[in-house]
């Protein structure tokens, strides 16, 4: 067996921090805030919570169980579980999918780093029109690609360091810092005048929104993106997990951590947005146009901007490690090359896959797909097709393909009632709801 089989997390806490770090990323801050804003806040939040509980959590448990059972990468794990069937294609799709996810993710991570450094140097305050600032910045062909390359290089350095010395060590440092920053920002935002309007937006349900299919689709897509399920990420991290720790408990902590961090981000952003009379439904630009404008208006805004964009960079990085680890684990086994060589090579290839998404705002501006530019197309295809497809395959495999007894045993549920509920969610609830969302996206 190849080298990666011998790697293991140094501790359970290390695994949990890395897994929460993986789940909590740009999806919790950048994407959650604008998707919640566009979908009316509270109703979206309720459906989102249900999706997390009945679809997301069961799939996280399934992924970790499949990975731990095989102690191997995405493809090996499915092959190990069912050598006689083609389920390994699910793993193959995940390995390929991660090239596109990380490619596109790296572009937005690069924007975040640029804003962080500009907040630190003061360059961010040379304007009071962030709409032109942002569109002017992304319309340059070279600079955004350089920041994207720096984020990819940082990811490569950490992942090349291995599971314990690279990924686990980085998460042990970054995650507590990120948690503290987020709690501080949420606390600060809640003390502002007018914060209650932001709270009402997030928590006061408007029942009519429950009749809008688009809110359900947005909630499922966001649950998938935010947890990062369907792409064998938890499966790969689970491959380094020792037996003896309860998987359902670990998964519950990871999912609760991810949801809590998204909520905290909402609490940091919406009260402040409302208290300064800004529009919460700005779309993907919320973090890069609305928020800098907001920081400029706030008394201690320059410091808050450093914290916020630092948070965005750190959260992006801890997710980038895990997305890169999926193909890295696979190719180390397949090629027999060293972790360092494989990581550097994949880093360069994935960076190249992301470059067109960045150039879609400048030299490749005319290359739109439908009404979307290249980056928007990546985001759309990943959230609405790739992740749900991977999620459905993982749920169906665990619910139907793996064998009931094996699935219950490997997930540590054994004979419990809750284990049966878990399987029911994987067999029916997840696939049916994902398929419904899937088709409504395709047809409407
Ligand atoms: N879950 C992480 C986030 O919310 O940013 C990272 C992520 C993984 C995003 C996989 C998207 C994805 F497809």
């Amino acid at each position: 067996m190849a080298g990666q089989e011998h790697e293991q997390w140094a501790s359970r806490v290390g695994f949990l921090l890395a897994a929460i770090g993986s789940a909590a990323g740009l999806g919790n801050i950048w994407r959650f805030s604008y998707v919640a804003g566009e979908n009316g806040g509270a109703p979206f939040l309720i459906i989102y919570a249900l999706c997390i509980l009945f679809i997301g959590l069961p799939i996280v448990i399934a992924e970790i169980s499949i990975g731990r059972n095989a102690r191997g990468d995405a493809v090996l794990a499915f092959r190990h579980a069912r050598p006689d069937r083609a389920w390994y294609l699910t793993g193959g799709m995940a390995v390929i999918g991660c090239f596109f996810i990380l490619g596109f993710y790296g572009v937005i991570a690069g924007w975040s780093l640029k804003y962080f450094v500009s907040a630190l140097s003061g360059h961010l305050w040379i304007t009071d029109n962030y709409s032109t600032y942002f569109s002017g910045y992304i319309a340059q062909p070279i600079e955004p690609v350089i920041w994207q390359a720096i984020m990819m290089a940082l990811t490569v350095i950490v992942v090349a360091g291995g599971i314990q010395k690279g990924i686990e060590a980085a998460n042990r440092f970054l995650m507590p810092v990120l948690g503290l920053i987020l709690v501080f920002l949420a606390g600060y935002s809640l003390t502002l005048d007018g914060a209650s309007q932001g709270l009402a937006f997030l928590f006061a349900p408007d029942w009519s929104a429950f009749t809008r299919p688009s809110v359900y689709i947005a909630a499922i897509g966001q649950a998938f993106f935010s947890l990062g399920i369907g792409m064998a990420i938890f499966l790969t991290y689970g491959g380094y997990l020792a037996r003896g720790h309860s998987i359902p408990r670990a998964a519950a902590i990871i999912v609760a951590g991810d949801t809590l961090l998204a909520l905290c981000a909402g609490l940091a952003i919406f009260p402040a947005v409302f208290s300064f009379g800004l529009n919460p439904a700005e779309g993907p630009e919320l973090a890069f146009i609305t928020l800098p404008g907001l920081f400029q208006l706030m008394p201690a805004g320059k410091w808050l901007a450093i914290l916020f964009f630092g948070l965005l960079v750190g959260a992006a990085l801890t997710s980038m490690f895990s997305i890169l680890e999926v193909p890295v684990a696979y190719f180390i086994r397949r090629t027999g090359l060293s972790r360092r060589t494989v990581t550097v090579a994949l880093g360069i290839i994935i960076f190249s896959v992301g470059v067109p998404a960045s150039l879609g705002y400048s030299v490749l501006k005319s290359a739109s797909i439908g009404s979307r530019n290249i980056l928007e197309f990546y985001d759309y295809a990943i959230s609405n097709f790739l992740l749900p497809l991977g999620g459905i395959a993982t749920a169906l495999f665990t619910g139907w393909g793996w064998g009931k007894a094996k699935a219950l045993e490997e997930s540590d549920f054994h004979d419990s009632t809750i284990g049966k509920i878990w399987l029911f969610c994987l067999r029916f609830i997840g696939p049916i709801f994902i398929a419904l969302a899937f088709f409504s996206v395709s047809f409407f």
Side-chain angles (χ1 to χ4, degrees):
M1 287 277 170
Q4 122 260 356
E5 256 82 20
H6 303 295
E7 288 193 77
Q8 216 173 65
W9 302 104
S11 69
R12 179 177 138 89
V13 173
F15 163 70
L16 288 175
L17 286 176
I20 297 173
S22 156
L26 293 172
N28 300 56
I29 307 167
W30 162 73
R31 200 172 189 281
F32 175 81
S33 53
Y34 85 76
V35 175
E38 284 176 342
N39 288 283
F44 165 84
L45 212 59
I46 295 171
I47 302 168
Y48 171 73
L50 293 174
C51 291
I52 290 277
L53 199 60
F54 293 106
I55 303 174
L57 177 60
I59 295 181
V60 174
I61 297 173
E63 280 198 22
I64 300 176
S65 308
I66 300 167
R68 188 187 67 174
N69 174 239
R71 314 210 65 203
D73 58 81
V75 176
L76 179 81
F78 282 100
R79 211 192 275 282
H80 175 91
R82 278 306 293 265
D84 55 330
R85 290 286 162 86
W87 287 106
Y88 65 87
L89 293 175
T90 307
M93 182 177 77
V95 171
I96 298 169
C98 285
F99 280 69
F100 291 93
I101 295 175
L102 188 52
F104 131 88
Y105 205 84
V107 175
I108 300 155
W111 296 350
S112 310
L113 183 61
K114 152 79 183 178
Y115 269 60
F116 173 60
V117 173
S118 303
L120 269 179
S121 70
H123 184 266
L124 195 55
W125 315 117
I126 59 166
T127 179
D128 55 9
N129 184 341
Y130 288 97
S131 185
T132 37
Y133 183 88
F134 181 62
S135 48
Y137 167 65
I138 56 177
Q140 299 174 62
I142 308 284
E143 200 190 330
V145 173
I146 294 175
W147 293 109
Q148 176 196 350
I150 296 174
M151 286 301 278
M152 279 304 299
L154 291 172
T155 308
V156 165
I157 290 169
V158 170
V159 174
I163 295 301
Q164 290 190 8
K165 295 210 178 92
I167 297 177
E168 188 169 347
N171 275 292
R172 267 182 181 276
F173 166 71
L174 282 170
M175 287 311 290
V177 177
L178 298 180
L180 282 177
I181 295 180
L182 199 51
V183 169
F184 172 78
L185 288 177
Y188 181 85
S189 185
L190 286 172
T191 62
L192 296 169
D193 288 340
S196 56
Q197 250 181 301
L199 286 180
F201 176 75
L202 269 182
F203 297 114
D206 151 20
W207 301 107
S208 71
F210 286 96
T211 56
R212 274 187 271 143
S214 59
V215 177
Y216 290 82
I217 296 164
I220 293 193
Q222 177 59 18
F224 268 79
F225 194 105
S226 176
L227 286 170
I229 46 180
M231 285 295 115
I233 293 174
F234 289 112
L235 183 156
T236 305
Y237 269 13
Y240 306 117
L241 186 63
R243 287 191 175 271
H245 302 302
S246 157
I247 291 180
R249 196 172 309 150
I253 294 172
I254 295 164
V255 169
D258 181 63
T259 312
L260 217 64
L261 287 176
L263 274 182
C264 266
L267 288 179
I269 292 169
F270 291 112
V273 166
F274 276 94
S275 100
F276 284 86
L278 301 173
N279 179 5
E282 278 302 352
E285 290 85 22
L286 183 70
F288 297 100
I289 294 178
T290 313
L291 294 187
L294 175 65
F295 291 133
Q296 205 169 44
L297 297 173
M298 295 170 98
K302 296 192 170 147
W303 296 101
L304 297 173
I306 295 173
L307 288 178
F308 177 80
F309 289 109
L311 171 74
L312 214 51
V313 169
L317 274 178
T318 56
S319 298
M320 291 171 78
F321 305 153
S322 67
I323 311 174
L324 182 56
E325 183 59 27
V326 174
V328 162
Y330 171 75
F331 282 104
I332 289 177
R333 176 174 67 83
R334 284 307 301 262
T335 61
L337 295 169
S338 72
R339 170 175 280 273
R340 188 179 297 184
T341 310
V342 169
T343 311
V344 171
L346 288 178
I348 294 171
I349 296 170
I350 291 173
F351 164 72
S352 320
V353 172
V355 168
S358 180
L359 298 184
Y361 292 94
S362 50
V363 287
L364 297 180
K365 210 170 179 160
S366 54
S368 58
I369 302 132
S371 59
R372 298 180 173 88
N373 67 28
I374 302 173
L375 185 130
E376 286 161 354
F377 176 75
Y378 273 22
D379 186 7
Y380 173 78
I382 288 167
S383 315
N384 295 324
F385 293 97
L386 198 60
L387 299 183
L389 203 61
I392 259 195
T394 309
L396 290 177
F397 167 75
T398 316
W400 301 101
W402 205 3
K404 190 174 166 189
K406 189 80 179 150
L408 286 171
E409 182 194 322
E410 290 305 329
S411 58
D412 301 330
F413 274 124
H414 306 293
D415 236 358
S416 60
T417 313
I418 185 126
K420 297 197 179 88
I421 300 175
W422 170 66
L423 267 187
F424 182 79
C425 290
L426 291 174
R427 285 182 161 182
F428 301 106
I429 299 189
I432 291 173
F433 278 89
I434 301 167
L436 280 177
F438 206 66
F439 286 117
S440 38
V441 171
S442 320
F443 292 119
F444 297 113

